[in-house]
Amino acid sequence: MKLRTKLKIAFVIMAIMPVILGAIAIGIIVKIEMNRIRDIYGSTHDYKLSDLYSPSAILGGITDDVYEDLQMLAEKQPQQLTDTGYLTSLSNDLTSKLSYLVVREENNVMFSSAPYSETDLAELLPDGELAQKLGNAGVYKGGKYQAIVKAVRFAGRDGRYNEVYIVTPMRQIIPQFRNLITEVLLIIIGVLALTSFILYIWINRSIIRPIDRLRLGTQNIRDGNLDFEIKARSKDELGDLCRDFEEMRGRLNKSEQEKIKSDAEEKELIRNISHDLKTPLTAVKGYVEGLRDGIADTPEKQHRYVLTIANKVEDMDRLIDELTLFSRLDTNRIPYDFVKINVKNYFDDCVDEINLDLEAQNIKLGYAFHGDETMETMADPNQLKRVINNIVSNSVKYRQPGRDCEIGIEVFDEGDYIHVVMSDNGKGINYKDLPRIFDRFYRTDESRTSPQSGSGIGLAIVKKIVEDHKGRIWVESVEGEGTTFHLNLLRYREGMRLSLPDSQMNTRQGKRRKT
Ligand code: ADP
């Protein structure tokens, strides 16, 4: 839910909920208190919620039953209403109902339990005829004594009319009514507090907490800590903000990790360059000193020294060339010249060229092409040749001493891919070195200690070129048996561009095939 909608709902709840809850609670409390009034004062009055607006109705209602009894007596046994004993007991009853009993005969007070003087009563009590008409509702009399007065006429002696009055003073508030007011006030406060609490929890969960998490996140980033996670729980604007923030943190973290990695690589690069340059340089220095100090005292020895110096210098030259090439590839300073090439023709020519070299070294090269001879790929022919040459020259370089070197190249048609398999029967690579051999400057311990010169850049260059062709390269090897490099290149399809995302690449591992 959007934050804006949440706020709107919050305001509506704030406006409506107290009213609804308050009305329900007040309704219940009023009902309870009214029933208590009925029970306590023995009233038969049917109290309604509207009586709340009229305290006189509540007060007057408590004497309803007495009034009805009086009416009945007036009709059936009027003589009882002149019996002082009866009147005294009735007035006692009325005291518990906060009321007084007054009996008049022709405006003369015959009986009164009210603490008022006769003059005051004359002022307070309405005329008998009028009072009779007013019935159970009684009449409210203001003035000195504010009271509700109910009257019943009954036949007295000699056909005269007498009146019996129930006087309920208004000045008092019955305690239950006072309770009611207090309870209603408490309910209003309670309902408002409950609504505010619910809103507080809601707003706290949906606004304050995400903001707190974001604040903590920014503090972490400020302190350079990018290793945390901000979980977005809601689907509102703050949830979106948390997700964006998390994405930003992820990217920052990634680029930070990459920077750390590249810094470490940079250091390793410098260490490796100095080491790889220093080794031939030390040798050159030694042979030069040998020549200078006359250690090479025969022309043959001198010739050998010079030859070694020339070889070492060549090694250094090659190393610097490879380094330059790698750094230019790495910084994308070598523009590729992608063209459409026929795979079969290309590999046929390539193998012919390599074979000339290998034959001179007595190395067998097996070659086979399987599949559609018309299949094409988009590639830079020169860079692809560099890939093949680097792999083949490694096979030659790392051959198993005492075993005839055999190299195989096979090309398979795999639908959308061209699968090139290049294998040898050389020394093989230890499984622990396999994941790292494409890293720049990585050389296995064995090749470091071997007389074979190398920089550890060759396969890094190979990987970079293959990946720039949107291809994949991987290796399988068994130490002592041989090594197989697998290369997947995208088959050319009409309208295909080389900027296809990596996700479209085949991630299937090729099976090892022996040639
Ligand atoms: P280098 O200049 O050392 O040959 P590469 O990057 O070409 O550098 O190769 C990295 C390492 O991988 C080599 O040092 C070697 O240990 C190992 N390697 C590469 N190709 C082969 C192979 N065909 N047989 C055995 N080991 C190999």
Side-chain angles (χ1 to χ4, degrees), residues 394 397-398 424 428-429 437 442-444 447 454-456 458-459 483:
N394 274 351
K397 215 159 39 165
Y398 303 109
D424 65 46
I429 305 167
I437 60 158
Y442 189 79
R443 304 193 71 206
T444 63
S447 60
S455 59
L459 287 181
T483 306

Side-chain angles (χ1 to χ4, degrees), residues 89-105:
S89 98
L90 191 61
S91 63
N92 286 343
D93 273 2
L94 282 174
T95 311
S96 67
K97 291 176 185 277
L98 313 168
S99 306
Y100 308 118
L101 187 74
V102 179
V103 181
R104 279 200 317 188
E105 186 181 24

